[in-house]
C-alpha cells in the first residue's frame, strides 16, 4: 500500500506558498495550484470552484488530473442550494467536509465525476470512488470565496487527521491567492481610474471646448470604471427638462433621452440610495417614481450583489448647488452593483464634468461681455457699431432699407440723483426689456432672435450704446414701421414706470454710410427732446 512521502508534501507546500503570490491571471494561477496540490499531496483529481457574485453561484475554474474529470467538471456551475447539503456540519472534520460514499444522493446535484477505482470491500479506511472531500476557501472576513475538492488519493486510503490538516492549510493558501488576485484587480482598476481622471484634468487645462471635455468624461468613465453605456444630460435653458449632451456606448444614434425633468428627477435623488454623492436606485423603485422608463439595462446578473436594471444617477451641480444636469451610467461589464470605491471615482469624474461646465460658462460669459452690456444683457456699443456696418453694407448691396432708432431716457439723471443708482439700474433693465418685447411682437419678415444668446445677426436688434442711450436696428424698415415699434414701447409703460424716452428715427436708403445714418438719427432724437415731443424722424 503506498505511503505518504513527507518530503514531497513539504516541497508541495512550499510550491503552493510560492504560487499564492506568483501573480498572473486568477484562472492561470488556480490551474497551477491545482496541479501542484495534486502532485505534492498525492491526489489524482483536484478541482477549484469560485463563487461568482454577479450570478450568486459557483463555477469550476480549474481541474487537474484525469481528462475525463476536466471534461466533466470544467465550467460546471452549482448554486448555494447545491452546496448546502454538502457543507453541513454533520460532515465537518477539522475544517474540511468529508462526505463518505452513500451519504449524499449525487443524482440530484447535477453532473459529477466518479473516478474509475474499484472499492475495497470490508476495509472501512479504504477510499471509495464515491467519497468526496471538500475544503472551503474562506476570505479573511470568513465569506466563502469558493470550494476545493480532492479525489482519488494515491494511497487509496481515506485521509487521516494530519492529512486533513494539511489540506485545510493548503486551502487557506488558495484562498489567499484568490484574495490577492482580486485585490490586484481592484488596485489595477483604481490606478486606471486615477490615470483617466488625470487625463480629464489635463483636458480641463488645455481646452475650453466643453463638448470635448464632457465627451472625455464619459469615455474615461467607460474605460476606467467598466460601464458599457454612459451619457451626460444637461439642464435645458428654460429648466423644463434635460438634453443628452455627450455619450459613449450607444452607437451612432446616441442614447434615448431619459425624459426626466428637474421635477421628476427629484424623487430619484433620495438619501436612502445615496452613496458618495451618487444615487443607485433599484429598478422597481425607479419604476414606481418615474412614469415612463425608456431603457432597461442589458447586462444584468442575479443575487444580492448583482446589477439588476438599477438606475445610477450622478447629479452635476455648480458651486451654488444649482443643478446643471446629471451623469447616467449603465450596463456594468462585471454585472455587479458598484462598490463604494467605484462610486467615489464616479463622483470625481462628475466633479470634473461640473468644473468643465463652470469653466465653459465663465469663458462664454467673458466672450458675451465683449459685445454685450453686463447690466441689461443687450449688445453694447461695440456690437452696435459692427452690426450697423453689416446692415449698411447689406442694404447697399441688395437694396433693402432699414431703420435706425436712437432713444434717450428723459429725466434719468434726476431720477438717479433722487432715488440712487440701484433704482436707476432697475429702470434701465426694465426699459431694455420693453425694447426687446416690442420688437418680438413685430410682423416683419425678419423677426428678432433671442438677443441674450445670439448676439449679432440679421434682423431687429436692440442695443445699449451709453449710460441711458439705446439704439434699435429694424430690418426691413421705414419710418412707419419704426413708429409701430416705438408706440408699443410707449404703451408698455405703466403707472410705476416714470421714465419716458425721446426717439429719433433715420431710414437708410441707397446712399450714405453708417456714420451719416447715425448722425441723422441722433439729430432727430435731440430735436424730439427739444420740442418736448416723443419722436422725430430725420429728413
Amino acid at each position: 500500500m503506498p505511503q505518504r512521502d513527507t518530503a514531497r508534501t513539504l516541497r508541495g507546500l512550499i510550491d503552493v506558498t510560492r504560487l499564492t503570490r506568483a501573480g498572473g491571471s486568477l484562472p492561470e494561477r488556480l490551474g497551477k495550484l491545482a496541479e501542484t496540490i495534486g502532485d505534492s499531496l498525492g491526489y489524482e483529481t483536484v478541482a477549484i470552484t469560485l463563487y461568482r457574485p454577479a450570478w450568486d453561484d459557483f463555477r469550476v475554474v480549474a481541474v487537474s488530473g484525469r481528462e475525463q474529470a476536466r471534461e466533466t467538471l470544467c465550467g460546471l456551475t452549482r448554486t448555494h442550494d447545491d452546496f448546502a447539503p454538502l457543507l453541513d456540519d454533520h460532515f465537518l472534520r477539522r475544517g474540511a467536509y468529508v462526505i463518505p460514499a452513500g451519504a449524499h444522493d449525487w443524482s440530484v446535484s447535477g453532473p459529477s465525476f466518479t473516478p474509475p477505482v474499484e472499492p475495497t470491500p470490508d476495509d472501512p479506511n479504504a477510499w471509495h470512488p464515491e467519497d468526496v472531500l471538500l475544503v472551503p476557501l474562506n476570505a479573511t472576513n470568513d465569506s466563502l470565496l469558493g470550494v476545493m475538492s480532492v479525489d482519488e488519493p494515491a494511497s487509496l486510503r481515506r485521509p487521516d487527521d494530519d492529512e486533513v490538516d494539511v489540506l485545510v492549510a493548503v486551502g487557506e493558501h488558495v484562498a489567499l491567492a484568490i484574495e490577492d488576485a482580486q485585490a490586484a484587480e481592484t488596485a489595477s482598476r483604481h490606478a486606471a481610474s486615477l490615470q483617466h481622471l488625470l487625463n480629464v484634468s489635463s483636458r480641463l487645462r488645455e481646452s475650453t471646448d466643453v463638448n470635448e471635455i464632457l465627451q472625455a468624461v464619459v469615455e474615461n468613465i467607460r474605460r476606467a470604471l467598466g460601464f458599457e453605456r454612459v451619457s451626460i444630460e444637461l439642464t435645458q435653458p428654460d429648466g423644463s427638462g434635460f438634453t443628452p449632451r455627450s455619450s459613449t456606448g450607444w452607437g451612432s444614434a446616441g442614447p434615448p433621452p431619459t425624459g426626466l425633468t428637474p421635477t421628476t428627477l427629484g424623487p430619484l435623488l433620495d438619501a436612502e440610495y445615496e452613496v458618495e454623492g451618487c444615487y443607485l436606485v433599484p429598478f422597481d423603485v425607479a419604476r414606481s417614481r418615474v412614469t415612463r422608463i425608456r431603457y432597461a439595462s442589458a447586462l444584468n446578473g442575479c443575487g444580492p450583489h448583482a446589477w439588476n436594471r438599477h438606475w445610477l444617477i450622478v447629479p452635476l451641480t455648480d458651486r451654488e448647488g444649482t443643478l446643471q444636469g446629471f451623469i447616467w451610467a449603465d450596463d456594468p461589464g462585471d454585472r455587479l452593483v458598484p462598490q463604494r470605491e467605484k462610486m467615489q471615482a464616479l463622483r470625481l469624474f462628475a466633479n470634473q464634468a461640473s468644473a468643465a461646465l463652470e469653466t465653459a460658462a465663465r469663458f462664454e460669459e467673458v466672450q458675451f461681455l465683449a459685445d454685450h452690456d453686463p447690466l441689461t444683457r443687450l449688445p453694447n456699443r461695440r456690437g452696435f457699431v459692427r452690426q450697423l456696418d453689416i446692415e449698411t453694407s447689406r442694404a447697399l448691396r441688395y437694396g433693402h432699407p432699414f431703420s435706425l432708432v436712437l432713444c434717450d431716457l428723459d429725466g434719468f439723471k434726476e431720477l438717479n440723483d433722487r432715488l440712487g443708482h440701484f433704482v436707476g439700474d432697475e429702470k434701465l433693465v426694465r426699459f431694455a426689456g420693453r425694447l426687446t418685447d416690442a420688437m418680438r411682437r413685430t410682423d416683419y419678415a425678419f423677426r428678432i432672435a433671442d438677443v441674450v444668446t445670439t448676439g449679432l445677426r440679421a434682423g431687429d436688434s436692440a442695443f445699449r450704446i451709453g449710460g441711458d442711450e439705446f439704439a434699435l436696428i429694424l430690418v426691413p424698415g421705414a419710418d412707419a414701421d419704426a413708429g409701430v415699434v416705438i408706440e408699443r414701447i410707449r404703451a408698455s409703460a405703466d403707472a410705476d414706470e416714470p421714465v419716458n424716452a425721446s426717439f429719433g428715427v433715420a431710414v437708410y436708403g441707397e446712399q450714405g454710410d453708417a456714420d451719416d445714418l447715425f448722425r441723422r438719427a441722433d439729430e432727430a432724437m435731440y430735436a424730439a427732446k427739444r420740442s418736448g415731443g416723443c419722436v422725430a424722424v430725420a429728413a
Side-chain angles (χ1 to χ4, degrees):
M1 181 178 298
Q3 300 295 316
R4 182 171 55 190
D5 186 339
T6 303
R8 181 181 179 187
T9 299
L10 290 174
R11 286 195 300 271
L13 289 174
I14 293 172
D15 288 341
V16 168
T17 302
R18 176 180 55 81
L19 287 170
T20 298
R21 304 293 185 182
S25 69
L26 183 55
E28 178 184 352
R29 198 186 309 189
L30 293 179
K32 292 179 180 178
L33 280 169
E35 291 179 5
T36 301
I37 292 167
D39 291 342
S40 60
L41 301 186
Y43 289 93
E44 181 64 33
T45 302
V46 178
I48 298 177
T49 301
L50 280 186
Y51 174 64
R52 300 193 301 172
W55 302 106
D56 197 30
D57 65 5
F58 298 84
R59 184 182 182 89
V60 179
V61 296
V63 180
S64 69
R66 297 182 183 276
E67 182 62 30
Q68 184 183 355
R70 287 196 292 268
E71 291 178 356
T72 303
L73 299 178
C74 275
L76 185 68
T77 60
R78 298 191 189 279
T79 66
H80 284 280
D81 290 341
D82 292 331
F83 271 114
L86 302 176
L87 303 182
D88 188 281
D89 288 347
H90 179 70
F91 301 122
L92 185 61
R93 178 180 159 195
R94 306 181 73 83
Y97 294 87
V98 182
I99 301 100
H104 178 71
D105 182 4
W106 291 100
S107 65
V108 300
S109 299
S112 61
F113 170 72
T114 302
V117 176
E118 291 296 328
T120 302
D122 303 326
D123 184 352
N125 293 320
W127 181 268
H128 191 282
E130 292 186 1
D131 287 346
V132 173
L133 201 162
L134 302 177
V135 180
L137 306 175
N138 294 319
T140 52
N141 63 1
D142 288 331
S143 63
L144 188 62
L145 296 171
V147 176
M148 179 178 71
S149 63
V150 297
D151 205 346
E152 196 179 345
S155 65
L156 297 180
R157 308 288 292 174
R158 286 172 173 167
D160 59 24
D161 287 349
D162 289 341
E163 289 172 315
V164 172
D165 288 343
V166 170
L167 280 170
V168 171
V170 167
E172 291 174 354
H173 281 78
V174 175
L176 285 174
I178 296 171
E179 282 197 294
D180 180 69
Q182 292 175 343
E185 182 181 354
T186 300
S188 176
R189 287 199 304 266
H190 287 173
S193 297
L194 178 60
Q195 183 58 53
H196 290 299
L197 280 169
L198 292 174
N199 291 342
V200 176
S201 295
S202 66
R203 293 285 185 90
L204 281 172
R205 294 191 299 269
E206 297 168 1
S207 175
T208 57
D209 185 342
V210 68
N211 291 321
E212 177 185 342
I213 296 171
L214 294 181
Q215 188 62 33
V217 168
V218 296
E219 290 175 356
N220 281 284
I221 288 175
R222 185 184 186 190
R223 287 193 290 263
L225 303 183
F227 292 98
E228 293 296 318
R229 292 181 173 87
V230 186
S231 67
I232 292 178
E233 293 194 14
L234 297 185
T235 307
Q236 294 173 357
D238 62 2
S240 62
F242 300 95
T243 302
R245 184 70 171 267
S246 300
S247 64
T248 184
W250 296 93
S252 59
T258 61
L260 292 172
T261 67
T263 300
T264 58
L265 179 65
L268 298 176
L269 305 184
D270 188 332
E272 180 180 354
Y273 305 108
E274 186 268 334
V275 182
E276 299 294 338
C278 310
Y279 293 83
L280 183 66
V281 185
F283 180 76
D284 289 343
V285 175
R287 183 169 54 185
S288 69
R289 300 183 182 189
V290 178
T291 56
R292 182 182 179 188
I293 293 180
R294 305 187 182 190
Y295 176 79
S297 307
L299 299 181
N300 300 295
C302 59
H305 307 291
W307 181 276
N308 187 13
R309 299 176 296 170
H310 287 74
W311 276 39
L312 179 52
I313 296 172
V314 192
L316 305 175
T317 57
D318 60 20
R319 294 181 183 181
E320 287 72 41
T322 303
L323 185 66
Q324 301 168 297
F326 60 88
I327 295 175
W328 177 21
D330 211 329
D331 286 333
D334 59 6
R335 300 174 186 259
L336 291 173
V337 169
Q339 298 300 304
R340 184 171 295 272
E341 292 79 6
K342 185 177 286 191
M343 295 292 219
Q344 289 173 339
L346 187 55
R347 180 68 258 175
L348 289 175
F349 278 111
N351 292 343
Q352 300 280 37
S354 294
L357 291 172
E358 286 200 67
T359 299
R362 288 195 297 269
F363 180 75
E364 291 174 359
E365 179 71 3
V366 169
Q367 287 188 311
F368 181 85
L369 291 179
D371 292 308
H372 290 75
D373 169 44
L375 177 64
T376 64
R377 312 299 284 180
L378 293 178
N380 58 19
R381 191 178 191 92
R382 174 183 171 183
F384 165 71
V385 170
R386 185 159 57 234
Q387 186 67 16
L388 187 59
D389 285 339
I390 291 172
E391 297 299 345
T392 302
S393 298
R394 182 179 289 118
L396 184 61
R397 176 176 298 179
Y398 300 109
H400 294 158
F402 68 95
S403 298
L404 171 62
V405 179
L406 297 183
C407 59
D408 179 271
L409 300 185
D410 299 330
F412 183 74
K413 183 178 183 304
E414 291 76 9
L415 182 144
N416 243 354
D417 293 341
R418 187 175 72 257
L419 300 179
H421 289 284
F422 180 78
V423 173
D425 287 349
E426 284 187 331
K427 300 301 182 183
L428 291 173
V429 171
R430 291 176 63 181
F431 186 76
R434 289 165 58 189
L435 296 181
T436 55
D437 286 344
M439 287 188 297
R440 288 191 180 102
R441 295 166 56 198
T442 61
D443 297 323
Y444 299 150
F446 299 100
R447 303 188 65 187
I448 183 171
D450 188 347
V451 176
V452 173
T453 58
T454 60
L456 304 179
R457 73 276 170 231
D460 296 346
S461 308
F463 306 83
R464 182 187 179 192
I465 60 176
D468 61 338
E469 297 178 3
F470 295 83
L472 308 177
I473 295 177
L474 307 178
V475 181
D479 54 354
D481 296 326
V484 171
V485 175
I486 293 169
E487 184 56 36
R488 284 174 173 163
I489 295 171
R490 294 180 60 198
S492 65
D494 54 37
D496 297 324
E497 181 61 75
V499 176
N500 295 314
S502 296
F503 296 85
V505 180
V507 178
Y508 185 85
E510 297 182 359
Q511 60 183 0
D513 56 18
D515 290 342
D516 177 66
L517 181 67
F518 184 86
R519 178 186 57 76
R520 291 191 291 119
D522 190 58
E523 290 176 351
M525 181 188 69
Y526 279 99
K529 189 179 291 289
R530 287 192 299 270
S531 66
C534 173
V535 183
V537 179

